[in-house]
Amino acid sequence: MGGWFAIPRDWLASFGDIAKFAARIVGQVYGLRVFRFAGEGLRQAGILIVSSTLVIWGLVFIIACNAGSRARTSTARSGIPRTRACSRRGGDLRELVPYAFGYMMAAKVGTGIVAELGSMRISDEIDALEVMGISSVTFLCATRLLAAWLVLPFVYIAAIGAGFLASYIAVVQQIGEVSRGGYLDIFWMFQNPQDLLYSLSKGMVMATVIVLVGCYYGYHARGGPVGVGTATAKSMVLNIVLVHLIGMLGTQLFWGANPRAPIGG
């Protein structure tokens, strides 16, 4: 029985270590100490834009286009083709875009951070920074969090636009059973700026957690290339789980008690 109880204790200990390390990074950003390395933060922001933006937008566009086509089946029984715009409103803004954004952040950005920092750890580059009197946590981790906060809100909003465009193309242009005016009338009736703000909040919480988890596993990687690979896999698994937890809790918090859907009578 001791072995079974040891597993949850190890998980709790790991969660505590990650939370402590993440709080340290966030403190570096909010304490403005990260701006000692503002140039590195801007460099990381540029890397994030060049290497990840099109990948995120492409994934959101493809998934939203497929979901728009699937909406035909889900709304066919109602006999009201215009309800497809309603289903895409809820699917795209509230759920599809946050999850697609989180998946790609975990798979592309999070694992990239682990691999980069892990390779620096096993080649003693991080230790070299400390010997030179440079705070490695600030220079390597806090700058990446700053870059994410500078870039990803705009990337996320553009991803929402890509999802809306894909749904419109699928429902109006491809299927063609609803007019452009009918689609847009229902589409905008079922959402408002508050929903956009809530969706952006979900996406940014996911992005922040993914970057922090990636920094933790990369910074603490051990055991050579095999250890870096193991840390990358662990970060991917944990980030995917956290994406779903954040998505579920965000939906319940923002729309659980009041979905704000103008349906009645």
Side-chain angles (χ1 to χ4, degrees), residues 2-37:
W4 288 99
F5 287 108
I7 294 176
R9 284 199 298 268
D10 292 341
W11 290 349
L12 290 175
S14 298
F15 178 79
D17 290 340
I18 294 173
K20 182 179 179 180
F21 186 77
R24 182 181 175 188
I25 296 174
V26 173
Q28 296 284 331
V29 178
Y30 275 106
L32 304 182
R33 289 186 291 273
V34 68
F35 287 99
R36 292 175 52 198
F37 309 107

Side-chain angles (χ1 to χ4, degrees), residues 21 25 117 136-146 215 219:
F21 186 77
I25 296 174
L117 295 185
S136 58
V137 173
T138 306
F139 184 78
L140 297 176
C141 301
T143 53
R144 283 170 168 78
L145 181 60
L146 176 64
C215 288
Y219 189 85

Side-chain angles (χ1 to χ4, degrees), residues 68-134:
S69 300
R70 296 292 180 181
R72 178 179 186 179
T73 303
S74 63
T75 60
R77 295 180 180 180
S78 69
I80 307 175
R82 293 175 66 191
T83 58
R84 288 176 194 138
C86 168
S87 67
R88 296 304 348 116
R89 180 277 308 174
D92 290 352
L93 184 62
R94 300 188 180 189
E95 303 299 336
L96 185 148
V97 176
Y99 279 110
F101 180 79
Y103 293 155
M104 188 50 65
M105 281 291 300
K108 179 71 168 60
V109 179
T111 56
I113 291 174
V114 178
E116 186 176 4
L117 295 185
S119 64
M120 295 179 69
R121 170 61 73 184
I122 64 175
S123 61
D124 297 327
E125 294 180 45
I126 294 180
D127 294 332
L129 287 174
E130 296 290 347
V131 170
M132 291 187 294
I134 298 175

